[in-house]
Amino acid sequence: MALLVVGTMAFDAIETPFGKSDRIIGGAATYIALSASNFVQPIKQVSVVGGDFPQEELDELQNRGVELGGVQIKKDQKSFFWAGRYHLDMNERDTLDTQLNVLADFIPVVPDSYQDCEFVMLGNLMPSIQHSVLRQLKKRPKLVVMDTMNFWMDSAMPDLKELLKHVDVLLVNDSEARQLSAQYSLVKAAKHIMAMGPKYLVVKKGEHGALLFHEDKVFVAPALPLEEVFDPTGAGDTFAGGFIGHLASTGDLSFNNMKNAIIVGSAMASFCVEKFGTTRIKEISKEDIQRRIGQFAELVNFDIKLI
Ligand code: AMP
């Protein structure tokens, strides 16, 4: 089943305790599409880039079954740019710079050929743009998943809350869940957020895994204990790509399959952090993914007899 993805396609500059990168390719929609393309094709991308965005990167996405008819190229402008620095505790990062550039006056246009998408991933982006994409779809998709971040909570909370009413699954990290709900307990935060619209909430906790909430149910997925986390940039988006990619490829929206989707997302994210930027996520094979999902199953598999 076709998947529509909207989000940033960007240049990033990253500093981690292990090193520093100059401008490398990043962006939420880039990571989502790279990750999801292992599970579902076609992916129909909506985004905007400047004339500085390398053609090879666009070609590579196309070779992976990503359609770019909805990606505007503004030849005379610069692509979105983000710079961030990670602490030794890589769950903590500071945004050093966010330059909207082409994003500042971006009006997304969803091509007619995208109307068949039953799965929609609203990647991290200005909430009003995410909403505009959703409004352009003539038929309500089967599943709408949304990601966002503190930047938009600080600058566009009313728009974000309006959009939440139309979303099935929200993906955020723990501090964002707390900020959005004004609750410290994640269980209380989940109740508050699910009352805002989403039926499902996924709370990502970096190296501590992820939680899935739905009604009164909770599921916990671990993160793979890795000796070295090189660069966590894009891990959230890569998670999102694996999560919705699995759901779109199976078409099964039961709670049980959502659990599987969380494991697939976690497995994909565990690759992403192994190298800088998109490097690792571009080089892995289907076999690598299968093997890693197997490792996740082992990680939490136990057989206990209750007395
Ligand atoms: P993640 O590490 O999964 O949260 O996502 C990192 C990616 O998000 C980077 O590649 C950035 O280009 C992109 N990004 C950073 N800030 C924003 C923002 N305010 N809106 C949209 N995308 C962003």
Side-chain angles (χ1 to χ4, degrees):
M1 269 180 245
L3 167 66
L4 189 154
V5 174
V6 56
T8 45
M9 293 172 72
F11 284 111
D12 293 341
I14 303 159
E15 287 176 41
T16 79
F18 300 105
K20 209 173 153 174
S21 79
D22 278 334
R23 284 156 43 95
I24 55 171
I25 295 297
T30 312
Y31 282 103
I32 294 168
L34 286 172
S35 174
S37 66
N38 290 289
F39 308 95
V40 63
Q41 292 186 4
I43 293 172
K44 305 192 179 190
Q45 191 97 323
V46 176
S47 191
V48 60
V49 294
D52 52 359
F53 202 83
Q55 186 61 42
E56 310 87 77
E57 295 290 336
L58 299 174
D59 294 344
E60 170 146 16
L61 284 167
Q62 263 172 327
N63 290 339
R64 289 168 176 265
V66 183
E67 294 182 15
L68 301 175
V71 176
Q72 298 172 25
I73 303 176
K74 304 258 167 95
K75 286 248 171 308
D76 306 328
Q77 294 181 46
K78 288 203 281 185
S79 300
F80 176 79
F81 173 76
W82 174 78
R85 183 191 293 134
Y86 290 86
H87 301 197
L88 206 51
D89 171 358
M90 293 245 218
N91 288 334
E92 297 282 329
R93 83 172 169 206
D94 302 322
T95 289
L96 302 177
D97 198 3
T98 301
Q99 294 173 18
L100 295 179
N101 298 328
V102 279
L103 208 63
D105 52 6
F106 174 45
I107 300 172
V109 179
V110 175
D112 280 346
S113 60
Y114 283 29
Q115 290 293 343
D116 62 345
C117 290
E118 296 203 70
F119 287 78
V120 173
M121 180 68 228
L122 302 174
N124 187 13
L125 193 75
M126 223 173 282
S128 57
I129 299 178
Q130 292 173 312
H131 207 155
S132 157
V133 168
L134 207 51
R135 269 196 293 250
Q136 289 178 54
L137 298 177
K138 298 193 181 97
K139 213 174 102 210
R140 207 309 176 168
K142 215 169 152 184
L143 187 77
V144 179
V145 181
M146 173 187 169
D147 187 12
T148 188
M149 76 187 287
N150 54 354
F151 184 85
W152 303 117
M153 291 179 194
D154 295 336
S155 59
M157 192 62 116
D159 289 350
L160 202 153
K161 287 199 168 159
E162 186 50 42
L163 172 59
L164 277 177
K165 295 179 189 161
H166 306 278
V167 162
D168 300 309
V169 184
L170 178 69
L171 309 176
V172 281
N173 68 28
D174 42 359
S175 68
E176 290 156 355
R178 291 184 171 120
Q179 181 173 354
L180 181 58
S181 62
Q183 293 291 326
Y184 188 79
S185 148
L186 289 178
V187 177
K188 283 190 183 158
K191 281 199 181 128
H192 274 71
I193 293 170
M194 288 191 287
M196 294 176 186
K199 294 185 283 295
Y200 294 86
L201 174 71
V202 177
V203 180
K204 297 167 288 176
K205 302 181 74 197
E207 65 172 320
H208 305 299
L211 298 166
L212 168 68
F213 292 94
H214 174 56
E215 296 169 347
D216 289 330
K217 298 195 264 283
V218 195
F219 174 70
V220 186
L224 194 69
L226 292 168
E227 216 162 288
E228 271 179 355
V229 170
F230 224 76
D231 170 20
T233 308
D237 308 310
T238 304
F239 178 101
F243 176 77
I244 198 162
H246 174 77
L247 293 173
S249 77
T250 54
D252 173 356
L253 300 181
S254 65
F255 185 70
N256 256 343
N257 200 41
M258 292 263 177
K259 291 185 191 177
N260 294 339
I262 297 276
I263 298 290
V264 173
S266 303
M268 295 307 290
S270 75
F271 285 116
C272 178
V273 303
E274 288 178 339
K275 290 188 181 170
F276 259 104
T278 54
T279 313
R280 187 74 180 121
I281 213 71
K282 279 182 181 168
E283 66 190 16
I284 52 172
S285 65
K286 288 235 161 80
E287 293 69 42
D288 294 327
I289 297 172
Q290 284 301 339
R291 215 172 307 123
R292 183 111 345 150
I293 291 174
Q295 274 177 278
F296 268 81
E298 273 305 300
L299 208 56
V300 284
N301 184 23
F302 54 85
D303 188 9
I304 188 166
K305 300 231 175 345
L306 295 178
I307 326 161

